[in-house]
Amino acid sequence: MARSPELLNAYAVCTRHLRGLRRPAIAWDLGIPDPDRERAFHAVYYSLAVSGPACLPKPWGKSHSQALAVTQLQRWLETAEAAHAGTPGASPEAIALADAMHRFSLPMEPWRKVERGLAAIAGRVPMYDLSDLVVRARSLGSAPASAYFRLIAARQGTRRYCMAPGLDAEELSHDLGVFCYVVEVMRSVMQLDIHGQAATLLPLEVIDRHNLDRLEIAGYRNNREAPQKFFEMMNDLASMARRFYQSTLIKITQSAAQLPPEAMVTFDRYLAHPLSLLRTMQSERFSPVGLAVGYPARIIGTVSEPSDGSSELPHADGRA
């Protein structure tokens, strides 16, 4: 599939943006062998995982106020809608996104769901229990994962990439997205500088059940060892993440025959990052100091060399 110099440059801009980031929980650099697929993944990942969240008010994003965040989120969504309609304007990021959306027949729904999830964070809408956490994870984890799934799982056609009949991207990416989102929440709990904002990430019922004060969690930032009640709360979240991880393995493995041969390797790399991070947090017993600083990539491994070797998905040759 031919690409104009302008389009290749637009994709290169997205890739450069990503290379300047450190996002260990969900990998974007998956070593995808198909250059067109990899470029499209970079454009979509940049839009959903970087550009959208950057609209949030500080400390989550770059906006200086809640009102500005709402305005920026609306502009971000309008930019995605214009790209989806084939009228991206002059922005290289939007030009790349428009091409990726067209080539892979991506729906707009992931962007709309992400906007709703980000708006809830911007508005500091509380979550009351684990079901609320799953609902938010569907917007901010499963929705973008469905777009990534289409990019990884589609087979190359003459002009476009197409999903195999019978593959349900939303169903197959649901638990994958929830797993990744819960791990990202766990990683982020101690990285908020303003007291009490951990309660925006964690369900109030979970905090209360472990007898934690909503303003207390940020006070643990300098603790090398996690207080027992904080450890138990994080361990409960880890158990929840593990359940969604195991369900993800089952779903993707059952669909392996309908996926391109290289897709299983890509999914393995995609899952290896959050899984490795989860294992690191557990091995460190959720040390608040480690969470506050952020576990660096050298601890959790790189995408080509995850610290534990794999995500346990079977490979094309049958090995696990």
Side-chain angles (χ1 to χ4, degrees), residues 219-239:
Y220 296 151
R221 289 174 60 86
N222 296 321
N223 291 28
R224 186 164 298 279
E225 294 186 7
Q228 184 63 25
K229 55 187 179 180
F230 178 80
F231 171 82
E232 291 174 356
M233 180 189 73
M234 295 291 282
N235 205 44
D236 283 354
L237 290 172
S239 296

Side-chain angles (χ1 to χ4, degrees), residues 270-293:
Y270 185 101
L271 282 165
H273 266 261
L275 178 63
S276 183
L277 176 58
L278 180 61
R279 287 173 172 168
T280 299
M281 288 190 291
Q282 289 181 300
S283 68
E284 296 284 330
R285 293 184 61 81
F286 310 110
S287 167
V289 167
L291 291 168
V293 173

Side-chain angles (χ1 to χ4, degrees), residues 92-137:
E93 297 88 349
I95 290 171
L97 180 62
D99 184 73
M101 286 174 153
H102 173 74
R103 297 280 179 177
F104 287 84
S105 301
L106 299 181
M108 260 304 298
E109 195 58 22
W111 279 263
R112 296 189 180 108
K113 288 182 177 179
V114 167
E115 190 274 337
R116 289 196 291 270
L118 293 175
I121 292 178
R124 300 189 182 184
V125 176
M127 294 179 290
Y128 293 99
D129 53 31
L130 287 176
S131 63
D132 287 342
L133 177 59
V134 172
V135 168
R136 188 163 295 179

Side-chain angles (χ1 to χ4, degrees), residues 136-157:
R136 188 163 295 179
R138 287 171 180 161
S139 295
L140 297 176
S142 301
S146 70
Y148 308 150
F149 187 94
R150 290 174 183 274
L151 292 165
I152 295 170
R155 293 181 180 273
Q156 186 172 349

Side-chain angles (χ1 to χ4, degrees), residues 1 71 160 199 210 214 247 255 278:
M1 299 181 183
T71 300
R160 296 190 185 189
H210 291 281
R214 295 166 195 175
S247 178
S255 303
L278 180 61

